Amino acid sequence: MPSVVSTEHGCCTRLAKILELLEDYFFIFTVFWLKIDKIFGDWFDSNEGTSAGTRLGPLLFIMYIHDVPKCIAPKFADDLVSVAVEKDVESVKEQLQYAVRRLIDWSKENDMVLNASKTKVMLFGNTNAKINIIVDGAVIEQVKSYKYLGVILDAALHFGTQVDYVVGKTKRALAKVLSLIDGRRGVPVQIGVNLYKALVRPHMEYAIPVWASISDKDVSKMEEVQCQSLKRILGAKVHSSTAAVEVISGVYPVRIRKRELWCREYIRIVCLAEDHPLV
């Protein structure tokens, strides 16, 4: 492929060399092969796209989809969402269908294809209404709950399913940490507590300001998991006081920790610029 950079067009020599290196990296050294089951194909040259795992790949993709229609928001990398807030279901349907048409037009202009099977529609609120959104002749599946960016959203925003999901992940992470501890032997207790704070507790606290409105019953589930985790790490007896275990380990109770993280996020949002969407 001929070079598209020339110093004769006003580009400095250094910039020209950098762009030429990028051109060579993405178009000359880009190859791929196919794998079907355990059979590997031959290598092929590729003149499109970027190599997997490059640092510039995600940045270039964000630049590529930067001009998606404004009715598609919020967006995070390749996760695109359209939100409609109206007084009746029919108005919501019209607004969402309009957003889908705009996105389809944009995707065709940019040589991209929407995957209707991975696209879902969900109604929030106290309603059992059905809503049909069409994408290229296919009806989008309507769901009662959906995991978006690691948080399970339910129609009523009770987040009970999210708590069960978090508790399960926390227990699995705890099992890996406990594999290093054999009763009172193994790694020192303080290292075990640090491992809990670094590898186990983050599963319970991921995006917790979003679902901090959970019920006391769900908070109790999280408290029970933390108490069991600390007792196992400290080698404490089953009937040991939860408050004593938390004091000895230096770990805040779940309720206090939840309130602390929620307050931090609230302060962060309040300090944002007045024109920010969250303000």
Side-chain angles (χ1 to χ4, degrees):
M1 177 179 293
S3 176
V4 296
V5 179
S6 174
T7 55
E8 297 177 357
H9 294 162
C11 294
C12 66
T13 304
R14 186 177 181 182
L15 177 60
K17 290 182 178 180
I18 292 175
L19 294 179
E20 286 178 353
L21 287 174
L22 288 175
E23 179 187 356
D24 291 342
Y25 177 74
F26 286 118
F27 296 109
I28 294 179
F29 299 105
T30 303
V31 293
F32 70 95
W33 48 263
L34 299 177
K35 175 185 176 183
I36 301 178
D37 294 331
K38 297 183 179 181
I39 301 176
F40 297 86
D42 297 328
W43 289 95
F44 296 91
D45 294 329
S46 174
N47 294 327
E48 297 180 355
T50 62
S51 301
T54 61
R55 294 186 178 183
L56 276 179
L59 179 61
L60 293 175
F61 179 80
I62 293 174
M63 294 171 60
Y64 191 76
I65 67 170
H66 180 69
D67 62 338
V68 295
K70 293 183 178 180
C71 56
I72 305 298
K75 57 183 179 180
F76 182 85
D78 60 342
D79 288 319
L80 304 180
V81 178
S82 179
V83 179
V85 181
E86 299 291 344
K87 295 182 179 180
D88 56 90
V89 176
E90 191 62 30
S91 299
V92 170
K93 176 182 177 181
E94 293 178 0
Q95 189 170 336
L96 292 179
Q97 189 64 64
Y98 170 77
V100 168
R101 288 196 300 267
R102 291 289 308 278
L103 185 59
I104 291 175
D105 294 340
W106 177 89
S107 63
K108 291 180 179 178
E109 293 176 358
N110 291 272
D111 297 325
M112 300 183 72
V113 179
L114 296 181
N115 191 337
S117 62
K118 292 185 178 180
T119 305
K120 310 298 179 184
V121 62
M122 183 175 175
L123 283 177
F124 293 92
N126 186 19
T127 177
N128 294 320
K130 299 293 182 180
I131 182 171
N132 293 328
I133 306 297
I134 311 297
V135 175
D136 290 336
V139 179
I140 299 178
E141 179 186 3
Q142 182 174 350
V143 295
K144 296 292 185 180
S145 63
Y146 186 77
K147 184 167 72 172
Y148 177 65
L149 300 181
V151 178
I152 300 179
L153 305 174
D154 57 90
L157 294 180
H158 289 156
F159 296 108
T161 307
Q162 169 67 13
V163 172
D164 294 337
Y165 171 72
V166 164
V167 168
K169 289 193 66 177
T170 303
K171 289 181 177 179
R172 289 190 293 271
L174 174 64
K176 296 179 180 179
V177 173
L178 291 179
S179 64
L180 304 174
I181 304 174
D182 182 14
R184 295 182 181 274
R185 294 174 294 178
V187 299
V189 172
Q190 188 56 48
I191 293 180
V193 173
N194 290 338
L195 288 174
Y196 169 78
K197 293 180 179 179
L199 302 177
V200 179
R201 190 172 66 177
H203 290 292
M204 289 197 298
E205 297 179 350
Y206 174 76
I208 196 170
V210 176
W211 45 280
S213 60
I214 56 178
S215 64
D216 289 340
K217 180 180 179 180
D218 289 328
V219 175
S220 298
K221 293 180 181 179
M222 299 172 62
E223 289 177 332
E224 182 179 356
V225 172
Q226 175 166 287
C227 180
Q228 292 176 354
S229 302
L230 296 177
K231 287 180 180 179
R232 295 287 301 277
I233 291 173
L234 296 176
K237 296 182 179 180
V238 178
H239 59 270
S240 300
S241 169
T242 300
V245 169
E246 290 174 341
V247 170
I248 294 173
S249 61
V251 176
Y252 282 115
V254 173
R255 295 177 187 271
I256 296 179
R257 180 69 176 173
K258 178 173 72 73
R259 183 180 302 175
E260 176 187 357
L261 296 175
W262 185 90
C263 291
R264 287 183 186 177
E265 183 64 16
Y266 173 77
I267 294 174
R268 186 188 71 85
I269 294 175
V270 170
C271 294
L272 294 174
E274 294 182 358
D275 57 347
H276 195 278
L278 291 178
V279 178

